[in-house]
Amino acid sequence: NVDLTNRGMMRTSGISATETPAANLRGMDVAVAEGATKLQVRCARPEQSPAYAVAVTPSWLSSYAVPAKTAEGFTVQFGDPAPQGARLDWIIMR
């Protein structure tokens, strides 16, 4: 067990609740092209498999889904096209 009471983790490369370590943690302020209805996110380092959970937060009000995941990355599909200056945050958990 790890106790981080009153402390924070730094330079963590991933979060995993399995025996498989995660290779990627997050992406912040990823640019989304104006008018885009999907975004292909490429991981900095390949995961061992597509067996991971990904949470995304677009900067505009829209429904969204992650219809495809691979070891190399994932696709985010948006219900509403991205406005000018759109950004996306994401986090992977194994």
Side-chain angles (χ1 to χ4, degrees), residues 14-70:
I15 298 173
S16 180
T18 71
E19 296 297 317
T20 305
N24 300 275
L25 180 60
R26 51 103 176 115
M28 294 181 357
D29 284 332
V30 176
V32 182
E34 183 176 359
T37 56
K38 75 176 179 179
L39 176 68
Q40 182 68 40
V41 176
R42 190 148 187 90
C43 294
R45 295 181 312 261
E47 292 289 334
Q48 291 188 33
S49 75
Y52 55 82
V54 60
V56 299
T57 306
S59 65
W60 70 101
L61 187 58
S62 178
S63 59
Y64 58 87
V66 178
K69 294 185 288 184
T70 69

